[in-house]
Amino acid sequence: MIRPTGATTEPTGPPTSLEERLRPYVWAVLAVVAAIALRQALAPVLGSALPFITLFPAVFVAAYFGGLRPALLATVFGVLAAVYLFIEPRIALVWGDPVAQLGVVLFGISGILTGWLGESRLRAHRRVSVAISRAEWEAARAEEEAVRAEEEATRAEEETLRAEEETARAEQEALRAARESARVERILGSITDSFVVLDRQWRITYMNERAAALVNGRPADYIGRILWEAFPESVGGPFDKAYRQAMAEGHPVWVESFYAPIAKWLQVKAYPSHEGLTLVGQDVTDRVRAHEATVRLAAIVASSDDAIVGKQLDGTVTSWNAGAEQIFGYTAAEMVGQTVYRLIPPELHDAEREALRRVSRGDPVEFSETERIRKDGQRINIALTLSPIRDPSGRVVGASSIKRDITRQKRDETALAEAGVRSRDLAQALDTAQAIIRDLDGRITYWSSGSARLYGWTPEEAVGRLAHELLQTVFPADLGKIQAVLLAQGRWEGEVIHVAKDGRRLNVASQWALRRDEKGQPGSVTEVNTDITARRLAEERMRRSDRMEVVGQLAGGVAHEANNQMTVVLGATEFLLARTDLPQVARNDLAQVRGAAERTAAITAQLLAFSRRQVLQPEVLDVDKVVQGLDGMLRRALGERSTLHVQLRAGSRRVKADPGQLAQVLLNLVLNARDAMPLRGQLTIETDTTVLTEQYAEGHPGVEIRAGPYVVLSISDTGHGISPETMHHIFEPFYTTKPVGKGTGLGLATVYGIIKQSGGYVWVYSEPGQGTTFKVYLPMEEGAVQEAAASPPPVQASGERVLIVEDEPAVRYMMSRALKEHGFKVLEASDGPEALRLVEGANELDLIITDVIIPGLDGTELARRAAKVAPDLPILFISGYTDHDIVRRGLLDPNQPFLQKPFTPDALVRRVAELLEHKKSAHVAAQPTGRSSPTTAD
C-alpha cells in the first residue's frame, strides 16, 4: 500500500507490560488450585475414579485467557496433582496401573491441544485489535484527504463538463463490458471451488464468493489488495513458494497445506498466464482429518495388546491385529477371509449369531464375558465388546470386536474366592456348625451355638458333662473300636443317633478329628455333627413311594386282566339269565356267579384306583354340595352307635374330580373310621380352604407338592388311633390290621390312588388312643359346576354295521353276540392292522368299538386313521385300564366316548344305541331346510 507523505506510523498494537504478561499464568495457577479443591471435595463420591474430571476445565480456562504456555503450565500442575492426590497409590508420584498411565497421557495431549487452540484464539484476537487500530489510523488519514478533496472539488466540477462528453461515449462501452462481466460473474459464482485471480504485481483482481467465505470475508474486502498484505500469514509458507514457482516456471503447481488463520487444510492449484496467476482451491480439512484419524486408529489397533477384530455380518474376518495373533495363536494370513466361528465353542454359536443380528440393527453389544478357543485347542476366558461398523451412508456393513484375555484374571479371582471361603469357613466352623470339643474321656470343653440350636442345651448346661451320656449316643459299632480308629487314623466318620433335650431322636452324621498337643500326644477331640434326620425321613418316604409304585403297577396289570375275564363272565351270565328254559335252581346259581363277578369287578376297580390307571371322568364339583348329597349314605354307613358332625366351610369352592370316585373316597374313609370305633364315637367331616406354600412343600421332603390354593376335606374320628408301625404301611394294598375275612386291605389304598390321580394329596395324623384324622387336599378349580345330563333312551337297532376291535377272543365273542341279538350287523378284528383294512374296505360303517390297547396299532391311532376315511364315524373306546401314554394323568379326552370294563351286554348295547342316536340327530340337524336364509357372520 502507498502511504501519503507525512502520515504517522502505522499502528502495530499497544506495548504489553510485565503485569499483563504474568496475568495469564496467575489465572492458570488459580484455576488448577480451584480444580484440585473441587476434586478433593468429590473424593468421597468418586474415590480414585475420574481423577481429571475437574482439571479439564482448569486447563480450558488457562488456554482461553493465556494461550499455549499457561495451558501447558496448568496441564503439568494438573498431572502432578492427579498422580499425587487422586491416582492409587496416593501421596506418591508413581503409578503402575496401565489405565492410569493412559489417562495421564490422554490428559497431557488434551492439555497441549487445548493450549494450541487457545493460542490460536489469542493471536486472532490480537490481529483483530491491530486491524481496529489500523482502521482508526486510516480514518485520520481520510479526514486529511477529505480536506484536500474539498479543495480539488471545485477543479473537479470544471472537469466534469468535459468528462460528461466522454462519459456518453464510455456508457456504451461500459454497457457492453457490464454484460460480459455479469456473464463471467455468473459462471465463476456457480463454481463450488474457491477462485482468485492475481495480476503480475500480486494484486487481487477477482475473488468469488466461495473464496471469500472460506476466509470469513466478502470479495469486496480483498479485491484490489496485494495478496501478501491481505494474507500475511502465507508469506514464506508452502502457498508462497508454490505461487512464486508457478509464476516463475510458467506451469501449474499443486499445493496442499494447513492454513492457521482459518484452521483449515487447503488444496490449491496455481495456473499461470500472461496477465498473472489464477488460483483454484478447495477446503479438504474433513478429508485430511479423516485420514489422520484413520492413521492414528490403525496405529492404535496395531499396537494394542487386546485382540481387535473386524468382521462381516456373516462372521467372515476382515481385519486381525497383532493382539489377536498373540491371544489366539492365528496369524492374520490364517484368519482374514475365514469365519470367526472357528474361535467360538459350538454351544455358543447361536449366541454369536444373535449378537451379530443385534449389531446389524445398529445396537451395540455391551461388555460381556465368554469363552473362545485358541489355535492349540485351549479354551480361554475373554472380555468382549462388539460394535457396529458403518459405511459413509450410515448403513451397518460389519462388526468390530475387542477381546481381552482374562483367563488368568478369572483363575486368580476363583482362587482368591476359594481362599476367602476357606478362611471364613475355618473362622466360623466351630461356632456356626454343630461343633463339640471334648477331652479323651468324653467330657465337653466347648459347646458351639450351633450345637445349642440343634440339641437345646446351652453351653452352660453342656460344658463339663460327658458328651455320650448327655446325648444318649447310639453308635453304629462298639465305642472301643471307634476310639481305636480315631487314635490310629486321627479321624472317624459315621452316623449316630442322638437324643435332644426335648426328647427328639436325631439321625446325625458325625465327624471326629483328633487334636494333638505340641509333643504330638492326643489332647482333645473336635466333633462336628450334622442333622440328617430330614434326609433319612425323605429317603424312607421315597423307598415307600417306590415300593407302592411297584405294587401299583402289579395291581394295575392284574386288574386289567381280571376286567377282561369279568367282562366275559358277566356277559355269559346275562345271556343265560335271559333264557326262559332254565330251571330256577340254575338261575339261582347263575345269580350267585353274577354277584361274585360284580364283587370281583369292584375289587379290580379299587386296584385300578390305587395304581392310578383307572380312567377318570372328572367334573368341576362343589365339594360342600358333594358332602351334603352323600350325608344320608354316610350316616347309614357309619351306623347308629356313632354320631356324624359335618362342618362345611369351603364356601362353594370348586375342585375338578370324578364325582363317583370322590364319593368312594368319602365312603372308604367313613367305613375305616367306623371300624376304628367299634363301640361308639364321633366322626367329624369338615371342608375348608388353604394355600400350600413353597415353605410347606419344603417341610415335606420326598413328596412333590405344587404350591397353590386347595380345598381341604378332613375326616376325624375318636377311635383307637394308629401305631407308628402301621403308619408306615397304611396306604399299601392288601395291608390290613383286621382279622382274616374282615377286609381286603384295599380301602385306604384306593383312597390314596384316587386322590393322587386327581392331582391331590392325602395325609394321616394319628397316635394310639387319640383318634385319627385324614386330610385330603384337592387343587382348587375356577370353572363352573357341571350338572349331570340325562342319558338318552336306547333305540331299536335296524341293521347298523358295527366293527368290534378286541384282541381277547372271549370278550370279542361276548360283545359280538350281544350286538347281533339286538339287531346289529357285526364285523370283527383281533388287531389294529386288520381293523384298518376292514375300515378302508367296508362300504359303510356306522360305528367302531375298539380296545385302547390292541396289537399292531393302538386304539387311538386306529381312530385317527379311520377319521381320514370316514370323518363322521363314531368310535367307542373300551378298556380294563388305559396305558400311561394315552391317559397320562388318568384324564380321557371328553370328545372320545369310553366304556369301562367289565361291562354287561345290556350296558354295551345301550351305549352303542346312545352313540348311534347322537350320530343320527347330528345328521338330521345338518340337512338343509329347503329354503334359503341370509348368512350371517360373527
Side-chain angles (χ1 to χ4, degrees), residues 746-757:
L746 290 173
L748 294 180
T750 300
V751 171
Y752 176 84
I754 292 173
I755 297 305
K756 291 295 289 183
Q757 195 177 9

Side-chain angles (χ1 to χ4, degrees), residues 462-485:
V463 171
R465 299 183 63 179
L466 293 175
H468 306 324
E469 292 182 358
L470 176 67
L471 300 175
Q472 305 177 41
T473 307
V474 178
F475 294 100
D478 181 70
L479 179 58
K481 294 181 179 179
I482 294 176
Q483 300 247 2
V485 172

Side-chain angles (χ1 to χ4, degrees), residues 13-36:
T16 304
S17 65
L18 176 63
E19 178 181 356
E20 291 174 336
R21 289 198 298 271
L22 292 179
R23 184 178 303 156
Y25 296 92
V26 174
W27 277 108
V29 172
L30 292 177
V32 171
V33 171
I36 293 172

Side-chain angles (χ1 to χ4, degrees), residues 83-137:
V83 172
Y84 189 76
L85 297 175
F86 307 125
I87 297 178
E88 299 294 341
R90 301 188 182 185
I91 317 303
L93 291 176
V94 294
W95 66 94
D97 186 1
V99 176
Q101 294 174 359
L102 179 60
V104 170
V105 171
L106 292 177
F107 179 73
I109 294 174
S110 301
I112 293 172
L113 294 176
T114 304
W116 176 76
L117 292 174
E119 185 69 22
S120 299
R121 189 199 69 81
L122 286 178
R123 288 183 180 181
H125 178 72
R126 293 192 186 104
R127 285 196 298 274
V128 171
S129 300
V130 170
I132 294 174
S133 300
R134 180 183 295 169
E136 293 175 350
W137 176 72

Side-chain angles (χ1 to χ4, degrees), residues 663-709:
Q664 183 70 50
V665 168
L666 280 168
L667 181 60
N668 286 8
L669 291 176
V670 169
L671 292 176
N672 189 75
R674 181 197 66 186
D675 294 340
M677 301 181 295
L679 299 178
R680 64 176 57 85
Q682 177 176 309
L683 178 66
T684 302
I685 299 178
E686 300 176 82
T687 62
D688 207 341
T689 60
T690 189
V691 176
L692 300 186
T693 63
E694 296 291 347
Q695 292 77 10
Y696 180 87
E698 293 172 359
H700 292 76
V703 180
E704 183 180 354
I705 296 178
R706 295 186 299 275

Side-chain angles (χ1 to χ4, degrees), residues 742-932:
K742 295 296 185 180
T744 63
L746 290 173
L748 294 180
T750 300
V751 171
Y752 176 84
I754 292 173
I755 297 305
K756 291 295 289 183
Q757 195 177 9
S758 300
Y761 313 97
V762 57
W763 305 103
V764 58
Y765 307 89
S766 181
E767 291 184 8
Q770 300 299 320
T772 302
T773 297
F774 286 88
K775 285 193 174 183
V776 174
Y777 293 80
L778 291 172
M780 201 175 294
E781 184 73 21
E782 296 297 332
V785 176
Q786 296 173 329
E787 301 294 339
S791 300
V795 297
Q796 180 63 33
S798 56
E800 288 85 350
R801 294 166 61 89
V802 178
L803 172 61
I804 298 175
V805 188
E806 168 62 58
D807 60 325
E808 185 66 32
V811 177
R812 189 169 65 250
Y813 166 77
M814 186 278 296
M815 296 169 60
S816 176
R817 178 178 172 181
L819 293 173
K820 288 178 180 178
E821 288 184 356
H822 285 79
F824 293 96
K825 293 181 180 180
V826 178
L827 300 178
E828 299 182 19
S830 60
D831 56 35
E834 181 183 359
L836 189 59
R837 286 194 296 272
L838 290 174
V839 171
E840 294 173 346
N843 294 329
E844 183 178 357
L845 286 176
D846 296 296
L847 184 137
I848 296 177
I849 305 174
T850 178
D851 199 327
V852 177
I853 306 298
I854 53 177
L857 192 70
D858 63 49
T860 54
E861 180 63 17
L862 173 62
R864 187 181 67 81
R865 296 192 184 183
K868 295 181 179 179
V869 179
D872 298 328
L873 183 64
I875 298 176
L876 173 63
F877 288 96
I878 59 174
S879 182
Y881 71 89
T882 56
D883 187 72
H884 181 71
D885 185 51
I886 299 169
V887 181
R888 300 182 69 181
R889 291 171 296 158
L891 302 178
L892 187 66
D893 186 348
N895 297 323
Q896 295 176 334
F898 181 82
L899 184 61
Q900 176 75 52
K901 292 180 182 178
F903 48 79
T904 64
D906 181 64
L908 173 64
V909 171
R910 283 190 290 106
R911 188 72 171 110
V912 169
E914 175 187 340
L915 292 176
L916 291 175
E917 179 66 22
H918 178 74
K919 175 185 177 183
K920 184 183 298 184
S921 300
H923 180 72
V924 171
Q927 294 297 320
T929 60
R931 62 179 183 179
S932 61

Side-chain angles (χ1 to χ4, degrees), residues 390-411:
R390 302 177 185 272
D391 62 10
S393 66
R395 183 172 61 92
V396 177
V397 296
S400 172
S401 62
I402 302 176
K403 305 177 179 69
R404 176 169 296 177
D405 186 356
I406 59 172
T407 305
R408 179 176 298 177
Q409 174 186 338
K410 297 293 288 185
R411 186 165 55 246

